Structures are given as C-alpha cells and as structure tokens.
Amino acid sequence: MIIGEKAEIIMWMEPEKKRRMETFFEGLGFSLPYGLNIFFEQCIIQEGLPFEAMLSEDEKTVFDRAGLTGSKTAQLVVRIDPYKKSQVEYTFGELGITASEAIDLFFRKCLCEWDVPFRVGYPKPNAVTLAAMAETADESKACTSVEGLLRDLEAD
C-alpha cells in the first residue's frame, strides 16, 4: 500500500520480540521503523543482507533461551519510500526470502548480539575526498591566523 510518498510494509511477529526490538532501538536513540529503514538501506547498498544470515549455535541458544520462538501475533507496520521498498523487495527476492523473513533475521541478529549487526554510519569517502582530508590534516598547511589563511587561499 502506498500512502503519499511512503510505502507500507506490514508483518506479523512475536509480541515479545517486537517489544524487545522497540526497547533495543530506543536505547540507540531511534524508533523501530527508523531502525528498519537503516536495515533496508544497508540491504540495498550491499545488494543483499548486510550480515551472515545463518545464526551460530551460540546465537540460536541465546535466542531460544529468550523464549522468542512463539507464535507470530504482533503486527509491525513500517512506512518507507516506495522506491526503496521496491529495491529492497527485489533484493530479498533475489535471495529467495520475503521482506518479513529478512526483518525477522535482522531482529534475531540484533537480539543475539544486542547490537546492530552492521556498521551504521556514512559510507567510506572516495579517493578524492580522502586526499583532500589528508591535505587538510597536513601540519605544514596549518594556518595560525586569519591573515595566513587568506594568503594561502589566494596562493591556491
């Protein structure tokens, strides 16, 4: 369903898992839907899941001990950009899973690690940006006054 500029994804999940995920993301300073949008962005950037999809035996044990293997009776609704939704659904389709299955895997990894299972941040700068950053970090180019800065700018 598309609402304005956002698309909607609806899925069912265990109520306790939903509560734990809301607590998890609130601890990181953002909402559960925002956390899912970050996950979707990473899937699109990585052209697949941004983490190993298989749980280790230790992770399975942690997950099972948490009692999160019950019936799926809680509903989660996330509104995202329609284009992002189509991209991520294509990516998941290529992996042979649905968006709900991918979100369930993401939640399992978050709960097992009590962390987001991939780096959250800006992409690595390209070579031109890295060179510019290195140049500005060069101590010999450091200015100690406004006049010195203006002279350096005029010289370039």
Side-chain angles (χ1 to χ4, degrees):
M1 170 185 283
I2 297 178
I3 300 173
E5 294 296 317
K6 302 289 180 187
E8 192 173 83
I9 295 174
I10 299 173
M11 67 175 283
W12 290 94
M13 64 187 312
E14 296 86 9
E16 179 60 17
K17 186 190 300 182
K18 181 179 179 189
R19 184 195 62 73
R20 289 187 65 197
M21 291 309 301
E22 288 168 338
T23 301
F24 170 78
F25 282 115
E26 285 170 9
L28 295 175
F30 45 85
S31 68
L32 177 57
Y34 186 76
L36 285 174
N37 270 288
I38 292 171
F39 169 60
F40 290 155
E41 285 291 336
Q42 286 297 311
C43 291
I44 292 166
I45 290 167
Q46 301 287 330
E47 296 181 346
L49 295 174
F51 52 82
E52 178 63 41
M54 300 295 296
L55 295 175
S56 69
E57 289 304 314
D58 289 340
E59 289 171 327
K60 288 178 190 175
T61 301
V62 167
F63 194 81
D64 290 340
R65 282 189 192 151
L68 297 175
T69 56
S71 63
K72 296 178 180 181
T73 58
Q75 185 178 24
L76 174 67
V77 178
V78 181
R79 289 185 174 87
I80 64 172
D81 174 86
Y83 182 69
K84 184 190 304 180
K85 181 182 181 208
S86 66
Q87 285 183 306
V88 80
E89 285 177 336
Y90 175 81
T91 299
F92 295 150
E94 290 294 304
L95 297 171
I97 60 176
T98 65
S100 288
E101 291 166 333
I103 292 168
D104 189 60
L105 283 170
F106 173 56
F107 284 0
R108 285 174 181 255
K109 291 295 278 189
C110 288
L111 291 173
C112 288
E113 298 176 19
W114 203 247
D115 196 2
V116 177
F118 49 82
R119 182 180 175 276
V120 177
Y122 294 104
K124 181 180 177 184
N126 63 26
V128 173
T129 303
L130 287 172
M133 292 166 65
E135 183 179 322
T136 59
D138 184 1
E139 293 292 325
S140 66
K141 291 260 186 179
C143 295
T144 57
S145 67
V146 173
E147 292 81 17
L149 173 64
L150 293 174
R151 268 194 311 274
D152 283 351
L153 288 173
E154 288 174 3
D156 287 341

